[in-house]
Amino acid sequence: MNAKLTELLNKKQKQAGAGESIDWDDRRNVYIAAVKGLYQQIEAELTDAIKQGIVTLRKRPKDLTENYIGTYSVDDLILVIGDEQVRLAPRGRNIVGAAGRVDVVGERGEATLILQPGATWEFVQTRQPTLQTVPFDGSTLAAVLQFVMRV
Amino acid sequence: MPVPFFVDETAEPQTLDEIRDWHRGIVDALLGRRTLVQNAIRVGSTVSSLFVGMTESDVDAHYDSQRRELDRLTVLNLVASAEATIRVDYFRRVKGKRKDLLAVTYRKWHKTLSAKKKPRPNFDDGGILDVLKQAGVLDKTIIGRYRECLRARH
């Protein structure tokens, strides 16, 4: 092989050195499990409303494709509340500053949930001038729904 | 009556080479930052909170947008620099006593301008560029191509 080509490839291999030890399959599996955990958490928060027929949950499978990870299947979770729909849409594992992301898409707006180490989900309130997040729980779910749904 | 010289001769406008070098420097910086942020996704390193929650596609879109804006600003800089140089050259030739074709053409046209227009003649349509084109000292296609760049200002 040409010496310059060898040098270039070696240099690139060194630059990418940190990537070799990453277990991408594990990252994907942890993310998929965390998304399922999030959906279970939401279902638990809405148990009474579901029983009373105020809220209906539906899942819709879709494929996500990401660098290093490839294509995998994950569900969107659709909350039907009255005459409105709110969709929780996983965006992927490869996210800056987080271990995954799910968007909450309503008719009025969108909110972002990011996965932090320890498999906890957080709602991103602001990015600038400083990042402000709050842990996702029952009260956060109410705030997020109010944020994305029609007034 | 002396020809008013309103272009500041003491100012040092950026040359086209300086603008090109600046553009290359900023492009390098953008590429470096883009690589850092993309790498942060893989290794989990800390980056500006602006990027937190972005997917790789979001990061690409962000930097593509930054690059487009940089290119647009650079074109504006290049166009402004060229205009400044042409205007400085125009006034030098109008003011001086040179006998070259362009100087003579400029002076002849300058005399037709109203007193109000003389300090700052039109540049594009019906202005200095048209006179420069008529003088035939420069490839007309270059002037035409430069005029296309002038649209970036609007």
Side-chain angles (χ1 to χ4, degrees):
Chain A
M1 191 159 54
N2 178 281
K4 280 189 177 173
L5 182 58
T6 307
E7 188 186 342
L8 173 70
L9 295 178
N10 287 338
K11 184 181 161 192
K12 289 294 170 191
Q13 190 183 21
K14 276 182 191 169
Q15 283 175 349
E20 287 179 11
S21 60
I22 296 171
D23 186 342
W24 294 103
D25 287 345
D26 181 59
R27 284 189 171 188
R28 177 200 60 213
N29 294 338
V30 168
Y31 173 62
I32 291 172
V35 171
K36 283 181 182 166
L38 173 68
Y39 292 172
Q40 285 165 1
Q41 190 182 346
I42 291 170
E43 202 168 341
E45 294 288 350
L46 296 173
T47 303
D48 290 343
I50 293 168
K51 280 180 185 168
Q52 292 166 25
I54 299 170
V55 176
T56 309
L57 299 187
R58 250 194 345 251
K59 285 181 184 168
R60 187 189 300 154
K62 69 177 182 184
D63 285 340
L64 282 181
T65 301
E66 296 187 77
N67 284 339
Y68 308 106
I69 290 177
T71 301
Y72 56 98
S73 183
V74 66
D75 288 338
D76 275 358
L77 178 69
I78 296 158
L79 281 62
V80 183
I81 307 168
D83 62 348
E84 265 189 90
Q85 283 194 2
V86 175
R87 181 167 53 92
L88 281 92
R91 289 295 304 273
R93 161 62 184 82
N94 291 339
I95 298 297
V96 181
R101 171 175 147 187
V102 170
D103 286 351
V104 186
V105 184
E107 292 185 18
R108 190 161 72 102
E110 289 187 27
T112 302
L113 300 174
I114 55 174
L115 180 62
Q116 297 291 26
T120 57
W121 289 94
E122 292 185 349
F123 167 47
V124 178
Q125 289 183 311
T126 62
R127 286 193 178 88
Q128 294 282 303
T130 56
L131 178 69
Q132 290 186 335
T133 61
V134 287
F136 187 75
D137 55 23
S139 62
T140 319
L141 175 61
V144 170
L145 291 177
Q146 275 184 334
F147 181 71
V148 302
M149 292 177 73
R150 293 197 305 260
V151 182
Chain B
M1 182 178 158
V3 174
F5 201 95
F6 278 77
V7 177
D8 186 356
E9 282 185 295
T10 60
E12 291 183 12
Q14 283 184 303
T15 65
L16 300 184
D17 283 347
E18 285 170 342
I19 294 169
R20 183 199 57 196
D21 290 346
W22 171 83
H23 177 260
R24 284 180 180 166
I26 302 294
V27 167
D28 279 350
L30 273 181
L31 288 173
R33 288 295 303 168
R34 184 182 195 146
T35 304
L36 268 178
V37 176
Q38 294 285 18
N39 199 45
I41 292 174
R42 294 197 313 122
V43 300
S45 50
T46 307
V47 292
S48 162
S49 61
L50 170 71
F51 298 101
V52 171
M54 284 191 183
T55 63
E56 287 178 288
S57 304
D58 294 337
V59 173
D60 283 340
H62 172 80
Y63 279 103
D64 286 347
S65 160
Q66 299 269 305
R67 175 63 193 266
R68 279 195 300 276
E69 184 61 12
L70 172 66
D71 290 348
R72 195 183 67 81
L73 289 175
T74 303
V75 169
L76 288 177
N77 266 350
L78 290 169
V79 166
S81 172
E83 177 176 349
T85 302
I86 292 169
R87 279 188 183 277
V88 166
D89 179 69
Y90 171 83
F91 280 109
R92 275 197 194 122
R93 289 176 196 271
V94 168
K95 189 181 177 188
K97 309 226 181 278
R98 295 173 60 174
K99 299 275 194 274
D100 62 274
L101 178 60
L102 186 57
V104 171
T105 311
Y106 274 164
R107 278 198 294 273
K108 191 176 169 188
W109 180 70
H110 194 81
K111 281 180 188 167
T112 68
L113 295 177
S114 66
K116 193 180 167 189
K117 275 283 178 190
K118 276 182 177 168
R120 192 162 180 85
N122 289 346
F123 183 69
D124 191 2
D125 286 331
I128 296 172
L129 281 184
D130 277 347
V131 184
L132 181 60
K133 191 175 170 184
Q134 286 160 19
V137 294
L138 196 64
D139 187 342
K140 287 180 181 175
T141 58
I142 292 176
I143 298 173
R145 281 155 67 186
Y146 175 64
R147 278 199 154 124
E148 285 176 24
C149 297
L150 285 174
R151 290 181 200 149
R153 295 190 303 186
H154 305 298

